[in-house]
Amino acid sequence: MTTTHTLNTPEAEIAYDLRGPLPTADGRPLLFMVGQPMTAEGFDTLASHFPDRTVVTYDPRGLGRSTRRDGRVDNTPTLQASDLHALIEALGTGPVEMFASSGGAVTALALVAAYPDDVTTLVAHEPPLMRVLPDSVAAERARAGVRDAYEASGSNAGMAAFIAMTSWQGEFTDEYFARPAPDPAAFGMPTADDGSRDSPLLSDRSWAITSYCPDVDALVEAPTRVVIAVAEESGNSLTGRSTRATADLLSQRATVFPSHHGGFLGGDSGYAGKPEAFASRLREVLDDDS
C-alpha cells in the first residue's frame, strides 16, 4: 500500500510517498529512490519490484507536488540534500539505503558528504557531473547550447539539443560544435515553440546540479558504502564518462547496471529500459556485504 505525505520545512513543503509499512516489516532500513528533475512517479516500476521493502520516493523541492517558499527557482544539490536529511530525520527510523539516479545521484552525494550518518549504502547511478570531466569547459559550453536553443525556440528545440548532447560519444570537440542545430522533427517532435521557458532540465535552473564538485574527502571518510553505477549502454556519452570519472575519484570501478540512463523505467515512460533486470541488479548490489 502506498500512502502520500507532506513534510513541512521552513522553506518548502516536500511531498513524499511511503510504499510499505513503517516500521519496516523485515527490519531492513528504508529504501529511498531519488531522482532530479524526475519526481516520484518515475520510480513506480522500480519500486514495484521491491514488494518486500518499504520504499520512500519524493518530489524534490519546487518540482512535481513539492512547493517552495524560499523565493528561488534554481535546483541545487545542497538544498535538496538538506530536504532529504530533514525527511530521513522526520521518518525517525535511522540510516537508510538509497538508490539515486542522474541529478538525484548528485544530490545523494551531497547528502552523504554533509550528513554522513544518514545513509548506510548509496547506489549513485549516472551522476552527470561535468566538472570531473577532462573536457569540462567544452561540456559546459554544450550545456549552454541546450539552454540557448530552449530560450530561442522552446522545449522541442531544447529537447532536440539535449538529446544531441547526451547521446554524443566522447569529448565535446570542434566537430560537435560545428554541427547544425538538431531538428526536433528528426526525433518525432513538433517544431513549433510551445512558449515554455521554465523547464528544470532545459533551462539553466539546474546548472548547480551538473556543476557540482563532489567532496571526495568527505565521501571517503563517511561510513556510507558508496557505489557508483554506470549504465551498460551509456558508452562514452556524457553520463557514461562522468560516472566513470566520479568512480575514479573515489578509487573504485563503476558498477555496471543493465540498459541505459533510465534503465529502471517501465514501458509507460516512453523511454523504457529493462526494469526487471535493473531491479535484480540493484537488489544484488544492496545485499552485497563484501
Side-chain angles (χ1 to χ4, degrees):
M1 182 175 67
T2 300
T3 56
T4 297
H5 309 267
T6 301
L7 173 68
N8 284 295
T9 74
E11 295 185 337
E13 292 184 1
I14 305 299
Y16 67 96
D17 303 307
L18 192 63
R19 304 161 187 260
L22 190 67
T24 62
D26 57 1
R28 294 282 299 273
L30 293 172
L31 174 56
F32 271 61
M33 295 181 178
V34 177
Q36 205 287 332
M38 189 180 73
T39 49
E41 72 273 8
F43 293 107
D44 285 348
T45 298
L46 182 60
S48 73
H49 289 282
F50 288 85
D52 55 319
R53 299 291 302 272
T54 298
V55 175
V56 179
T57 56
Y58 91 126
D59 292 354
R61 175 188 301 213
L63 300 174
R65 302 162 297 171
S66 293
T67 59
R68 61 195 307 172
R69 45 180 172 265
D70 58 1
R72 298 172 60 167
V73 296
D74 60 325
N75 303 300
T76 72
T78 51
L79 283 180
Q80 292 183 359
S82 69
D83 291 338
L84 279 175
H85 171 66
L87 180 53
I88 291 168
E89 281 203 325
L91 290 169
T93 63
V96 306
E97 293 183 331
M98 185 171 290
F99 169 75
S101 186
S102 195
V106 179
T107 294
L109 291 171
L111 172 70
V112 170
Y115 307 99
D117 296 322
D118 279 3
V119 184
T120 59
T121 296
L122 165 63
V123 180
H125 180 252
E126 299 233 316
L129 295 167
M130 291 186 174
R131 292 194 175 174
V132 304
L133 296 172
D135 58 324
S136 59
V137 173
E140 291 179 341
R141 179 184 171 193
R143 178 185 65 183
V146 173
R147 186 271 319 274
D148 292 346
Y150 177 57
E151 291 291 341
S153 304
S155 61
N156 296 313
M159 183 56 70
F162 178 80
I163 294 171
M165 179 187 73
T166 55
S167 61
W168 180 260
Q169 296 292 308
E171 295 190 4
F172 292 100
T173 60
D174 290 343
E175 180 185 357
Y176 174 85
F177 295 107
R179 300 188 311 167
D183 183 357
F187 301 102
M189 295 182 291
T191 58
D193 186 339
D194 65 353
S196 72
R197 296 296 186 274
D198 58 357
S199 167
L201 181 67
L202 304 176
S203 69
D204 56 9
R205 292 186 176 190
S206 297
W207 281 14
I209 299 285
T210 49
S211 292
Y212 178 73
C213 293
D215 187 335
V216 174
D217 290 340
L219 293 172
V220 170
E221 293 171 4
T224 307
R225 179 170 70 103
V226 177
V227 178
I228 305 298
V230 67
E232 65 181 350
E233 297 176 13
S234 285
N236 286 320
S237 68
L238 170 64
T239 55
R241 294 191 301 122
S242 66
T243 299
R244 289 190 293 273
T246 302
D248 287 344
L249 287 175
L250 298 177
S251 300
Q252 61 177 266
R253 176 172 293 183
T255 299
V256 179
F257 269 64
S259 194
H260 49 59
H261 185 68
F264 51 88
L265 296 172
D268 58 345
S269 68
Y271 184 48
K274 300 176 181 176
E276 184 173 356
F278 195 102
S280 177
R281 181 63 166 143
L282 177 57
R283 187 181 293 275
E284 177 184 272
V285 171
L286 290 173
D287 291 344
D288 184 3
D289 294 328
S290 62

